RNA sequence: GCCGGGAUGGCGGAAUCGGUAGACGCAGCGGAUUCAAAAUCCGCCGGUAGUGAUACUGUGAGGGUUCGAGUCCCUCUCCCGGCACCA
């Protein structure tokens, strides 16, 4: 029966993962099983997992992510799709510079070494990847197109230059990433971080805000939670922009603010502006205390989380503006909580109806004037109450002509009155800000600009692209080493030809990852010539049919990618569909967490330790309370659990697992551990169980090979097809843990009746359902048992109706909602018959205690509930 | 602080539309096999009471809707992700 080629050795009784996995992988490579081209004869399925940052080693989050993708890719291939699953490297970024500082190795070399190692790891896991399409974003042939598209954006007014606020480390004289700021201090120096304004390039994502919001409705294949997060991030609000007129230095001026609660305008008792606001600067000119306060506001980090949680402070400017409707004098304050980057950098303050303003007014003894009332709710100055900000039930009071109006009516009337005075009107506003892409770092894509004393900032001409980043620099923590590289810096102005200086800022790495999915699709000819960014291959493969990645990317990466695709569409580079979206279906994988250990350094910075470097200290309840360093017994801080990451040093390398148990066990265990969308706290207990299962599958296959079906047909066939039905349902739901458990249940059933005439059919179903999760063992047994020459070409199994039929079924019997017994009835029995059978049931009679049934609930196929 | 999500045995988790809570696996316990161990196989395995049949109780906490709630509604606690320069 066997189709085995004569050269193959006899089947081994013992399960040897390393042998069968190498053989299967060699077979796939030789057959070019996963290298694909456009094929009009089949439906296409573009399956993409987010590409990894080459941090050094894979961690369990990667194994989880790429196994999920592989399960989908392989099962779709078996279902007849033309499947593309590519892989590449998000290769620019900060960790390479940190490694350079530590080890004095150029980021390029470190990155390429990491890529080589991690590629080997990925290959050893047997993923169905088309490696011919591999790309790395740090290679000039890729980032050339970042630069090219940036220049198109400049031409179209999407890219522009303005100032940006950054974290500045005064000791290292360098810009810090938010991640490098710990409790307001530089992570290496411990110095208090300052805010600093420097010029930078921005991409006008706000021009697409409305479309990015509206198009969320065209994405039924996205999780609701992600769409909700993106909608909230874009933050479209309908409000009123208006001005407080004032006279200063003999000139008539207007202070503009934006509010969504114009109905409370009569309750304004002061106005707060950001420390960077021109009015604050003006007021500080002859006010040393205010000037000092503004300086204080400029200290600290730029992170929103820090700004939102810090103590709210303010100081009066001594400048008064006129209330636009009453003409009353209102004082302007500087507030450390007002963001210059949002709206107008100034807000009207209504302490009675805004929680933050209320706390602020109480702190500084400012007036609080109630102008909204909810009938039946007493208002008092003592403490803030939720209803003070109620938009639904409130009506205006103490508001003159607006008294009695509800929120929307008042906003309409007030907006109209402001417009009549030429002091403002309704305006739609977005929370979304333009995307600042300039980074003062070396290991990134150079921004293609040349600075000329005569001509200013001049774009690099297309024919000079790419601007190549020298790969031999070694950053030392004191700023961008490109500033010391004359061979990079010195150039001539493309306009006037005079000596000029090249821009040394590089692009945010989110730029690199905003279009890589489109690049994977290009044909081999384009990969070779690199004469275009995308081509007909891209048009064939896009959009990505299934995108898989961590939930941490729910907002930024996914929003930037959607924006970038729409820009490419408007430039005519990708499909011209009105609302072209890059990712049709999205699976957001939950994070894999592990314990975090850290310690403050002498300088006040922070240092992390890997879990294997420490011993845990537990309390009586068994909870981890602390840890000591294994090397010297000194205590370290326990930081709870968090995402596995290079920077926190809490990643778990799957290599040991693969070497000990094989790729199939690692993959199966990872899928079995929990449903993909759920957060997973790492633990390897249970790996043994997955390995035992593999051994049992192999042993059953070995026995079945020489077994004659002698027994009589029992319930095996129905059981297997029932499990198959469930497995297919779960696969459709992307719930792979129960697909894995269905495989285990199938094997349990098969082992109970190995001589059943349907055992061979059942095992073929098990192998096919198992194959996307544990492809190597399935591949080997498929051939050994002579089912065919390649399981990848086998059809995906579907449950047979004939195998599922039954004539009786068991119903749950309840009395007053409590389980009291069960009931066997003919399939298709009508409600009256079921009810009659239930009422005469012995267990039912006992618990009814002779009382008459008030009501009988019959749920067909499920249960009967008798209510007495 | 704001936005999004989560919480079920000792542990990971299952329960499709509101209908048998704990599938499947791990750990543990008992047994078989073995000179012994590993491996393998069989059995038990939420809590309380009971020799047992069985009864009561039980899905983070408190309340509600319903014949019936892990699932729906309200309030709260803790944990995770994001907050625009980690990727």
């Amino acid at each position: 029966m066997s189709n085995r080629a004569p050269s193959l050795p006899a089947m081994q009784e013992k399960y040897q993962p390393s042998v069968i996995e190498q053989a299967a992988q060699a077979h796939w490579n030789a057959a070019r099983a996963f290298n694909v081209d456009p094929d009009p004869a089949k439906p296409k399925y573009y399956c993409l997992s987010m590409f990894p940052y080459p941090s050094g080693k894979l961690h369990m989050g990667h194994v989880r992510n790429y196994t999920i993708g592989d399960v989908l890719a392989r099962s779709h291939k078996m279902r007849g799709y033309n499947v593309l699953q590519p892989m590449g490297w998000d290769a620019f970024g900060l960790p390479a510079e940190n490694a350079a500082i530590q080890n004095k190795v150029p980021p390029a070399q470190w990155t390429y070494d990491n890529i080589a190692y991690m590629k080997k790891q990925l290959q050893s896991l047997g993923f169905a990847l088309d490696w011919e399409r591999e790309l790395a974003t740090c290679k000039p042939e890729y980032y050339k197109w970042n630069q090219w598209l940036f220049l198109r954006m400049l031409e179209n007014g999407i890219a522009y230059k303005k100032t940006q606020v950054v974290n500045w480390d005064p000791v290292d004289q360098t810009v810090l990433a938010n991640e490098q700021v710990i409790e307001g201090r530089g992570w290496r120096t411990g110095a208090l971080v300052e805010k600093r304004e420097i010029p930078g390039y921005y991409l006008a994502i706000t021009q697409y805000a409305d479309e990015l919001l509206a198009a969320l409705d065209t994405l039924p294949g996205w999780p609701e939670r992600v769409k909700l997060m993106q909608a909230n991030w874009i933050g479209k609000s309908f409000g009123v922009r208006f001005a407080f007129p004032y006279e200063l230095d003999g000139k008539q001026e207007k202070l503009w603010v934006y509010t969504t609660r114009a109905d409370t305008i009569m309750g304004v008792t002061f106005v707060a502006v950001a420390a960077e606001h021109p009015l604050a600067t003006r007021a500080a000119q002859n006010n040393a205390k205010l000037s000092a306060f503004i300086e204080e506001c400029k200290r600290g980090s730029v992170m929103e989380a820090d700004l939102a949680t810090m103590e709210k402070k303010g100081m009066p400017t001594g400048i008064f503006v006129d209330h636009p409707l009453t003409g009353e004098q209102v004082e302007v304050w500087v507030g450390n909580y007002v963001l210059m980057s949002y709206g107008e950098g100034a807000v009207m303050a209504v302490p009675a109806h805004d929680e933050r303003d209320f706390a602020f007014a109480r702190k500084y003894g400012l007036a609080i004037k109630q102008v909204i009332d909810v009938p039946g709710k007493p208002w008092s100055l003592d403490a803030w109450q939720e209803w003070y900000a109620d938009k639904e039930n409130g009506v205006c009071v103490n508001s003159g002509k607006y008294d009695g109006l509800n929120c929307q009516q008042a906003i309409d009337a007030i907006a109209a009155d402001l417009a009549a005075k030429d002091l403002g009107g309704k305006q739609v506003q977005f929370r979304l800000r333009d995307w600042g892409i300039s980074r003062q770092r070396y290991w990134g894509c150079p921004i293609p600009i040349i600075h000329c004393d005569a001509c200013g900032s001049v774009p690099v001409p297309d024919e000079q692209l790419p601007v190549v980043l020298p790969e031999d620099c070694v950053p030392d923590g004191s700023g961008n080493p490109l500033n010391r590289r004359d061979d990079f810096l010195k150039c001539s102005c493309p306009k006037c030809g005079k000596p000029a200086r090249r821009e040394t800022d590089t692009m945010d790495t989110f730029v690199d990852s905003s279009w890589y999915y489109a690049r994977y699709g290009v044909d081999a000819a384009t990969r070779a010539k690199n004469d275009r960014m995308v081509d007909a291959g891209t048009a064939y493969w896009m959009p990505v049919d299934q995108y898989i990645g961590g939930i941490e990317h729910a907002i930024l990466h996914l929003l930037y990618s959607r924006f970038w695709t729409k820009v490419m569409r408007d430039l005519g580079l990708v499909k011209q569909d009105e609302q072209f979206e890059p990712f049709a279906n999205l699976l957001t994988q939950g994070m894999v967490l592990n314990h975090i250990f850290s310690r403050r350094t002498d300088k006040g910075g922070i240092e992390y330790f890997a879990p294997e470097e420490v011993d845990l200290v537990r309390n009586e309840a068994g909870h981890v309370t602390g840890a000591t360093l294994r090397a010297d017994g000194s205590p370290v801080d326990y930081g709870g659990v968090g995402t596995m990451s290079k920077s926190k040093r809490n990643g778990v390398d799957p290599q040991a697992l693969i070497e000990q148990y094989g790729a199939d066990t690692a993959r199966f265990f990872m899928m079995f551990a929990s449903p993909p969308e759920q957060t997973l706290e790492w633990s390897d207990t249970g790996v043994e169980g997955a390995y035992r299962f593999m051994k049992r599958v192999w042993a059953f296959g070995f026995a079945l090979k020489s077994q004659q079906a002698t027994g009589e047909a029992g319930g095996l066939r129905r059981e297997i097809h029932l499990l198959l039905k469930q497995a297919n349902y779960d696969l459709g739901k992307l719930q792979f843990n129960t697909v894995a458990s269905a495989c285990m249940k199938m094997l349990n059933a098969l082992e109970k009746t190995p001589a059943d005439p349907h055992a061979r059919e059942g095992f073929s179903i098990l192998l096919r359902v198992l194959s996307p999760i544990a492809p190597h063992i399935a591949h080997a047994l498929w051939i050994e048992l002579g089912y065919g020459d390649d399981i990848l070409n086998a059809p995906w199994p579907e449950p047979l109706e004939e195998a599922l039929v039954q004539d009786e079924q068991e119903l749950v019997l309840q009395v007053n909602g409590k389980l009291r017994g069960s009931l066997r009835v003919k399939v298709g029995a009508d409600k009256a018959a079921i009810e009659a059978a239930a009422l005469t049931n012995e267990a039912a009679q006992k618990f009814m205690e002779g009382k008459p049934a008030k009501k009988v609930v019959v749920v067909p196929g499920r249960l009967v509930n008798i209510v007495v």
Side-chain angles (χ1 to χ4, degrees), chain A residues 101-120:
Chain A
I101 292 168
Q102 247 183 357
N103 311 320
K104 314 248 187 296
V105 178
Q109 188 193 322
W110 182 84
T111 302
Y112 290 127
D113 287 351
N114 288 348
I115 287 174
Y117 181 76
M118 291 171 75
K119 184 174 178 179
K120 261 192 196 159

Side-chain angles (χ1 to χ4, degrees), chain A residues 412-591:
Chain A
D412 293 344
I414 286 164
D417 288 349
L418 287 167
K421 294 188 172 201
D422 204 22
L423 285 174
K426 287 192 180 179
Q427 188 179 310
V428 171
Q429 177 111 351
F430 293 95
R431 203 188 78 97
L432 181 68
R433 306 199 293 262
D434 278 346
W435 175 13
I437 59 156
S438 290
R439 298 291 180 270
Q440 295 67 47
R441 276 181 241 297
Y442 156 67
W443 191 235
C445 166
I447 293 176
I449 294 288
I450 288 167
H451 299 289
C452 169
D453 287 340
C455 310
S457 300
V458 182
V460 173
D462 283 359
E463 59 275 14
Q464 291 178 24
L465 296 182
V467 175
V468 176
L469 185 75
E471 293 198 344
D472 53 356
C473 293
V474 184
D476 60 6
S478 64
N480 189 341
L482 289 177
N483 286 314
R484 298 186 290 269
R485 284 292 295 252
D486 276 354
D487 59 337
F488 179 80
L489 289 173
K490 284 188 180 166
C491 58
S492 52
C493 172
K495 259 192 195 163
C496 68
K498 286 187 196 137
R501 188 177 192 277
R502 202 175 282 287
E503 170 70 56
T504 55
D505 278 3
T506 52
M507 294 185 194
D508 179 6
T509 55
F510 274 126
V511 171
D512 309 327
S513 56
S514 285
W515 68 282
Y516 74 107
Y517 46 84
R519 181 67 181 185
Y520 279 139
V522 299
D523 296 326
T526 301
R527 292 201 293 276
K529 280 171 74 183
N530 202 26
D531 56 343
R532 56 187 70 183
M533 187 177 189
V534 290
D535 66 4
T538 311
Y540 169 82
W541 289 110
M542 287 296 288
V544 173
D545 294 285
Q546 181 68 58
Y547 197 35
I548 305 129
I551 183 67
E552 77 274 24
H553 294 295
I555 296 173
L556 293 179
H557 163 60
L558 290 167
L559 194 64
Y560 290 149
S561 296
R562 296 179 59 220
F563 158 68
W564 196 276
T565 319
K566 290 182 193 304
V567 173
M568 286 177 78
R569 172 203 64 192
D570 290 348
L571 292 169
L573 296 168
V574 293
K575 287 172 192 171
Q576 300 289 299
D577 308 7
E578 205 163 303
Q579 290 187 321
F580 184 66
E581 286 284 334
F583 313 118
N585 295 287
L586 175 67
L587 189 159
T588 44
Q589 162 195 225
M591 302 284 80

Side-chain angles (χ1 to χ4, degrees), chain A residues 769-842:
Chain A
V769 175
L770 179 64
S771 68
I773 301 175
H776 309 89
I777 190 173
H779 169 88
L781 288 172
W782 191 258
I783 294 170
E784 290 290 358
L785 285 153
Y787 287 120
D789 38 341
D790 194 339
I791 195 166
L792 280 169
N793 300 325
W796 189 260
E798 296 295 340
L800 297 174
E801 276 310 315
E802 64 186 83
L804 295 175
V805 289
Q806 57 174 359
D807 39 280
E808 270 197 339
Q809 62 187 168
E810 194 155 282
L811 301 185
V812 165
L813 180 61
Q814 296 182 336
V815 178
N816 285 338
K818 286 193 176 177
L819 175 68
R820 297 302 182 189
S822 63
L823 203 60
R824 281 203 78 81
V825 296
K826 284 252 182 287
V827 171
D830 65 4
K831 280 194 176 189
I834 293 170
E835 202 174 311
L839 287 169
T840 54
N841 181 281
E842 195 183 327

Side-chain angles (χ1 to χ4, degrees), chain A residues 162 165 274 276 338-345 429 431-433:
Chain A
K162 72 169 181 184
V165 187
E276 298 84 2
V338 183
L339 297 175
M340 196 59 214
S341 53
Y342 183 66
E344 304 290 340
Q429 177 111 351
R431 203 188 78 97
L432 181 68
R433 306 199 293 262

